[in-house]
Amino acid sequence: MSKYLVVFAQAHLEFRVPELESVAQLYNFQISFSDNPDERDPGRPYMIVGLDEEEHARLLAKRCILVKSIYEFYGKGANYEELHICNRSKRTLWERFIPETSFRFFVTSYNHKIPQRRQKEVVESFAYMGFMGKIDMKNPEITLGCFEEYETRNRATRERHEGDGDFLQVYFGRLIEEGSARSLIQLFDVKKRSYFGNTSMEAEISLLMANQTLASPGKLIYDPFMGTGSMAYPVAHFGAQVMGSDIDGRQMRGKGSTPGIFRAASQYGVSSRIVDICTFDVTNNPWRCGELFDAIVTDPPYGVRAGAKRLGRKKELDTSRLALYHEHCTNPRVGDSPYIPPTKPYELSNLAIFAETWGRLVFFLPTVTDEYEEVDIYTMLCEGMEVIANSLQDFGSWGRRLVTIRKVTSEKYPIPDFSSPKTEDEERHVPAHRHFREKYFQGFRKDGEGE
Amino acid sequence: MVRLITHNILACHVKGCTSNNFPLQLQGVQIELREAEFNPEFLKTFLPKIEWKALVDTAKEARDTSLPLEQPEMLDDEFLKNLHHVLLEIHIEEGTMICPNCKHNYPISNGIPNMLLAEHEVG
Ligand SMILES: C[S@@+](CC[C@H](N)C(=O)[O-])C[C@H]1O[C@@H](n2cnc3c(N)ncnc32)[C@H](O)[C@@H]1O
Ligand SMILES: [Zn+2]
């Protein structure tokens, strides 16, 4: 494997790795992350990954919403001396460009502005590479980039050029591909959409969800809480066919003779990929059998923006469950079956019956930050499912997690019974997302806290 | 625009109605043909999920007899084109789908099927 430098857009840090992994799986290639924690820290704007082919870097840059660009990695260091030692050792990667390749060279930084004078110094410090081709700022055959990473200063604005050169790391490499998927955020902008509502999901998140489903031509993907169809458009844009349903037909139709969802889909040129939209309660659904869909993507109702009732009381885990949970936390059994607490699965996981084996379930789970435990996600699984991504979008006292679950068993699940109330015994671990609506409107006060 | 692909995966789900509840019969339907992009990859992966006889019979009601009575083993281009047309280009815009067993009516209006049940019909 060769090393590549991924330059991220500064958004949704926890979604970066899951997105890279999903797109790699979609195109069926391997991506490896460094053993060095600094190099795989998703909170940093630069990450070094391993890929077998340059083409794979191009595929990632064309499809990942969070990727700004990808470079062939030549070197890094805590200072320029270290960087140059590393870059010299990688000579075999760049010597073929020495004789006559035209090139552009730029120096830039994250969280800082480097004065012109020092930019020039930096460029000159690479003179030993001895490139003889002509410098071409407009249309070069190759682009070489040098990136200084400065510490994020929480809110404190830096004086102009203050602390210049005092960076954490500097990286250097050759541009393989500028990310082009980020422009889709503009294309799918909800405000420019001919049909949307107050439940519509912002474009960037809908696109990230679409990538988590591995949407591509040949697939049929289902949103059982479709509302105004926010996820349907990017999923269809990536070539998949979409099926949607909602208990409330007005959400999907809006006003006007053509249903709103088809109006919006036409705007994106994908209306023929919206197979159908149906009105029904998914907990009482008319699908003829299970396993009809390649993936399910949805923003289920939790009562914050759309009505839904949940029952349940806050309870503690019992000792045996607690032991399992601690074992899971300290020793997650990689490759082994996931930790499955002996609860009746949470209703949402029942949606898995509609998914193919290896099919994915991609959904949002609102959580109260102080109360969330990883076990909350695991209580939702039933046998034969594994969590492959769990990324928090943090709003402070609450957040929502984009969870991706994969169905790993080819065994058929029984038709779910969404209706039967759980008994006390079956429901000892009450996940923190219970009562989400009540907590949301109370501003997430803890018990006993005053008004 | 209930397409025949959707019709082929919907069954009556009234409480207790578990046999002879598929395919839903069409009544008073208004059909429209609308072109869709040809996607052979999708057709091939979806094919095993189709209830073939139901599809052939329903296509006949929509005056399309292009599909063979048995699913062929060789998926040639002509077959896939016909399948594409039947599954994805025939749209039921208005009308009713009726359960052959319990006679429940599922209305289709403006292309959207209403599969909601009344409270007493829910299992
Ligand atoms: C959070 S919204 C999803 C919004 C959607 N992603 C959009 O782009 O507008 C949840 C939706 O679930 C629907 N819903 C609530 N309970 C339902 C049920 N039991 N079956 C089907 N849909 C339901 C609501 O009508 C609402 O449109
Ligand atoms: Zn029936």
Side-chain angles (χ1 to χ4, degrees):
Chain A
M1 276 198 167
S2 314
K3 285 185 171 181
Y4 291 85
L5 174 68
V6 179
V7 181
F8 287 113
Q10 200 47 30
H12 306 301
L13 316 189
E14 286 206 19
F15 295 65
R16 291 170 168 175
V17 170
E19 188 184 42
L20 291 172
E21 286 175 330
S22 291
V23 174
Q25 191 187 333
L26 169 65
Y27 292 112
N28 203 13
F29 62 78
Q30 299 292 318
I31 179 166
S32 69
F33 297 93
S34 174
D35 295 331
N36 175 349
D38 274 352
E39 292 179 2
R40 57 153 204 268
D41 177 358
R44 298 176 70 164
Y46 307 104
M47 185 184 286
I48 295 169
V49 302
L51 299 170
D52 286 326
E53 288 171 34
E54 202 171 293
E55 180 54 24
H56 298 165
R58 293 188 197 282
L59 289 169
L60 289 173
K62 285 178 193 158
R63 180 72 187 251
C64 292
I65 307 303
L66 299 177
V67 168
K68 234 160 103 179
S69 50
I70 302 189
Y71 286 72
E72 183 179 33
F73 174 74
Y74 287 168
K76 65 164 189 139
N79 51 52
Y80 274 95
E81 256 159 56
E82 280 180 30
L83 172 76
H84 289 311
I85 291 171
C86 188
N87 185 40
R88 280 176 204 270
S89 75
K90 298 274 172 63
R91 187 181 172 93
T92 47
L93 294 179
W94 47 261
E95 67 186 350
R96 69 179 190 280
F97 303 122
I98 294 174
E100 53 188 10
T101 307
S102 66
F103 67 99
R104 177 169 91 97
F105 201 116
F106 72 88
V107 186
T108 187
S109 59
Y110 174 73
N111 265 338
H112 178 70
K113 192 158 169 33
I114 309 172
Q116 283 287 333
R117 176 186 38 78
R118 200 170 63 78
Q119 289 190 31
K120 196 158 163 272
E121 275 170 34
V122 169
V123 175
E124 281 162 6
S125 73
F126 284 88
Y128 63 89
M129 291 175 80
F131 276 31
M132 295 185 299
K134 78 169 190 308
I135 295 172
D136 182 345
M137 298 310 280
K138 281 221 181 80
N139 232 333
E141 285 165 83
I142 64 167
T143 294
L144 299 165
C146 188
F147 305 88
E148 296 180 357
E149 177 193 357
Y150 289 78
E151 206 155 4
T152 314
R153 298 198 165 177
N154 282 338
R155 278 176 282 272
T157 41
R158 223 177 254 279
E159 289 288 311
R160 219 173 120 78
H161 305 328
E162 177 207 332
D164 181 52
D166 196 10
F167 47 78
L168 295 171
Q169 281 285 333
V170 54
Y171 302 85
F172 180 60
R174 173 176 65 95
L175 178 66
I176 301 296
E177 184 88 19
E178 294 283 2
S180 45
R182 277 197 81 64
S183 63
L184 295 175
I185 299 171
Q186 293 302 315
L187 179 68
F188 288 102
D189 186 355
V190 174
K191 292 193 295 286
K192 294 185 226 145
R193 189 175 296 162
S194 50
Y195 180 65
F196 62 90
N198 61 359
T199 61
S200 296
M201 175 75 74
E202 67 208 83
E204 185 166 12
I205 297 285
S206 305
L207 283 156
L208 290 169
M209 293 177 86
N211 271 347
Q212 286 305 103
T213 67
L214 313 182
S216 63
K219 291 194 176 142
L220 180 60
I221 295 181
Y222 175 41
D223 182 350
F225 302 105
M226 195 187 210
T228 62
S230 309
M231 280 81 82
Y233 315 119
V235 163
H237 172 83
F238 291 133
Q241 310 279 336
V242 180
M243 186 68 85
S245 63
D246 198 289
I247 197 168
D248 185 354
R250 293 167 309 180
Q251 297 286 331
M252 304 183 289
R253 282 195 311 265
K255 298 192 177 82
S257 59
T258 305
I261 286 190
F262 291 113
R263 274 185 277 139
S266 304
Q267 183 185 345
Y268 304 122
V270 298
S271 80
S272 89
R273 294 191 195 139
I274 310 292
V275 175
D276 263 308
I277 56 181
C278 311
T279 309
F280 58 81
D281 174 350
V282 71
T283 66
N284 250 299
N285 66 80
W287 297 126
R288 168 168 59 76
C289 58
E291 317 212 331
L292 287 167
F293 308 106
D294 296 283
I296 289 158
V297 61
T298 201
D299 179 21
Y302 281 91
V304 176
R305 287 163 302 154
K309 272 202 179 133
R310 298 264 167 259
L311 299 167
R313 225 166 353 110
K314 177 117 182 108
K315 289 173 211 143
E316 297 300 327
L317 289 176
D318 65 50
T319 39
S320 64
R321 195 90 57 80
L322 203 61
L324 268 168
Y325 168 53
H326 285 307
E327 190 194 311
H328 169 76
C329 290
T330 51
N331 180 24
R333 285 161 293 170
V334 185
D336 198 349
S337 56
Y339 161 74
I340 300 159
T343 47
K344 207 172 167 208
Y346 186 76
E347 292 88 333
L348 259 186
S349 62
N350 283 331
L351 294 173
I353 80 136
F354 302 122
E356 285 267 11
T357 303
W358 304 114
R360 287 180 163 203
L361 232 65
V362 179
F363 59 90
F364 260 112
L365 180 72
T367 49
V368 183
T369 307
D370 285 348
E371 296 177 17
Y372 170 78
E373 303 169 272
E374 203 180 336
V375 70
D376 292 347
I377 301 288
Y378 288 87
T379 52
M380 299 175 50
L381 299 184
C382 36
E383 209 97 28
M385 294 183 207
E386 66 181 15
V387 174
I388 45 186
N390 173 4
S391 321
L392 176 68
Q393 188 184 14
D394 196 345
F395 299 118
S397 59
W398 73 287
R400 51 182 189 182
R401 290 179 173 271
L402 179 57
V403 181
T404 307
I405 287 174
R406 179 166 65 171
K407 190 167 150 189
V408 291
T409 175
S410 54
E411 265 175 49
K412 303 246 186 299
Y413 291 102
I415 295 290
D417 182 359
F418 290 89
S419 56
S420 66
K422 293 170 182 178
T423 66
E424 288 270 314
D425 200 45
E426 286 170 326
E427 212 182 355
R428 284 201 207 99
H429 176 75
V430 177
H433 49 260
R434 281 294 159 77
H435 285 323
F436 186 79
R437 185 173 197 274
E438 290 83 338
K439 288 171 186 165
Y440 183 85
F441 288 116
Q442 285 163 12
F444 303 108
R445 265 182 282 108
K446 294 209 192 75
D447 290 345
E449 273 178 32
E451 294 291 302
Chain B
M1 54 178 247
V2 180
R3 307 196 207 192
L4 297 199
I5 183 177
T6 310
H7 176 264
N8 199 262
I9 56 178
L10 289 173
C12 178
H13 59 126
V14 166
K15 177 181 177 179
C17 186
T18 50
S19 64
N20 188 32
N21 58 345
F22 172 87
L24 300 174
Q25 295 158 349
L26 303 180
Q27 197 179 73
V29 295
Q30 188 183 313
I31 283 170
E32 259 179 47
L33 302 182
R34 249 178 266 158
E35 229 173 283
E37 64 190 328
F38 182 53
N39 184 342
E41 202 184 335
F42 170 71
L43 296 170
K44 283 180 201 159
T45 47
F46 197 78
L47 195 54
K49 297 173 191 161
I50 295 174
E51 276 288 337
W52 193 254
K53 188 177 176 322
L55 184 67
V56 174
D57 291 349
T58 313
K60 266 189 207 141
E61 289 184 46
R63 293 202 198 84
D64 187 299
T65 52
S66 63
L67 294 180
L69 292 179
E70 299 287 328
Q71 234 181 73
E73 276 170 24
M74 274 287 296
L75 306 180
D76 60 33
D77 223 41
E78 194 198 331
F79 168 73
L80 289 173
K81 289 249 159 74
N82 291 335
L83 180 62
H84 164 74
H85 179 71
V86 168
L87 278 183
L88 296 165
E89 297 189 324
I90 301 177
H91 298 248
I92 309 167
E93 285 299 317
E94 302 287 332
T96 310
M97 296 187 287
I98 301 172
C99 171
N101 182 42
C102 76
K103 309 296 174 206
H104 186 94
N105 283 21
Y106 297 97
I108 299 172
S109 160
N110 206 5
I112 304 178
N114 183 349
M115 308 301 291
L116 281 168
L117 299 177
E119 209 159 314
H120 68 276
E121 298 164 322
V122 173

